[in-house]
Amino acid sequence: MFLGQIPTRYLGFDGGEVNWIILLVMIVVIVFISVVAKRPKTKAVSAKPSGLPLTAEDVTAKLFQPTNFREGYDQRQVDELLEQTVREFQRLDSERLELQQAIPLGRLVSHTAPVLTPEQVLNSSFSPTKFRNGYSQDEVDDFLTEVAAGLRQRMDENERLRLQASGGTTQYGTGATSN
């Protein structure tokens, strides 16, 4: 039996009020379903065992919890920074491969200009969002700390390989590396 078929005098409403209430409930349900349906699907990214270096693929695969109706970071801005970090990880990996091939030959390998430094990652700021989709600020901040550490680790490893390839001197003429 439908609510519209129940005598409305028992509900305390006249027939017109019941129709408006049903219409309002239907609108609320439709809006709720459309908001949930538009929410980006998030897949669980398995936590990397500690000690394994972050890769460009890890950055590409990273998904953040979207924010709706609470403050988050502008998704476009975060995605642009992550694209730059992917390019930097790829540049550092390419440089590492070149350095590893140069070691047996005693060849010098020059530095290539970084796309992004760990300091730039840590000092990034994003526009806040409140009534539009954003990314969870805590998740983004934690991941960017991880990204900066991964970049620093790659840079240090490349500098160590550069020293090894050059026989103890860097292109700057010293045997010391800075941490």
Side-chain angles (χ1 to χ4, degrees):
M1 180 183 289
F2 292 104
L3 188 59
Q5 297 173 331
I6 298 173
T8 55
R9 67 178 178 272
Y10 296 125
L11 299 174
F13 302 105
D14 69 18
E17 290 176 20
V18 171
N19 290 339
W20 280 107
I21 291 171
I22 291 172
L23 181 63
L24 182 62
V25 168
M26 288 174 48
I27 290 171
V28 168
V29 169
I30 290 169
V31 167
F32 177 76
I33 290 171
S34 69
V35 166
V36 170
K38 285 184 181 179
R39 176 177 278 173
K41 306 291 187 254
T42 58
K43 62 181 179 184
V45 177
S46 60
K48 237 180 143 65
S50 66
L52 291 179
L54 196 63
T55 65
E57 292 77 22
D58 296 329
V59 175
T60 301
K62 181 64 177 173
L63 296 174
F64 299 105
Q65 188 65 39
T67 59
N68 292 323
F69 305 113
R70 62 187 166 93
E71 197 164 290
Y73 285 143
D74 182 273
Q75 290 179 346
R76 183 185 50 76
Q77 293 173 350
V78 172
D79 290 342
E80 285 174 6
L81 178 70
L82 293 179
E83 287 173 15
Q84 289 179 325
T85 63
V86 166
R87 286 195 303 273
E88 181 61 10
F89 272 112
Q90 291 168 339
R91 182 195 71 80
L92 289 166
D93 288 343
S94 174
E95 187 177 78
R96 184 180 71 237
L97 182 61
E98 190 177 344
L99 286 162
Q100 288 170 337
Q101 293 170 349
I103 289 172
L105 304 173
R107 247 183 353 157
L108 291 178
V109 177
S110 63
H111 281 100
T112 54
V115 173
L116 192 66
T117 67
E119 293 76 22
Q120 289 172 316
V121 171
L122 291 174
N123 294 327
S124 301
S125 62
F126 309 102
S127 299
T129 63
K130 192 156 196 148
F131 296 110
R132 57 189 167 91
N133 288 340
Y135 288 140
S136 168
Q137 292 177 342
D138 291 337
E139 283 185 45
V140 171
D141 291 340
D142 291 346
F143 188 65
L144 291 182
T145 300
E146 209 179 310
V147 166
L151 289 174
R152 174 59 54 209
Q153 181 182 6
R154 285 277 186 358
M155 290 173 156
D156 290 347
E157 173 67 11
N158 285 1
E159 190 59 28
R160 185 188 65 73
L161 289 171
R162 188 171 276 103
L163 264 170
Q164 193 176 349
S166 67
T169 61
T170 64
Q171 75 177 32
Y172 303 111
T174 66
T177 60
S178 60
N179 287 326

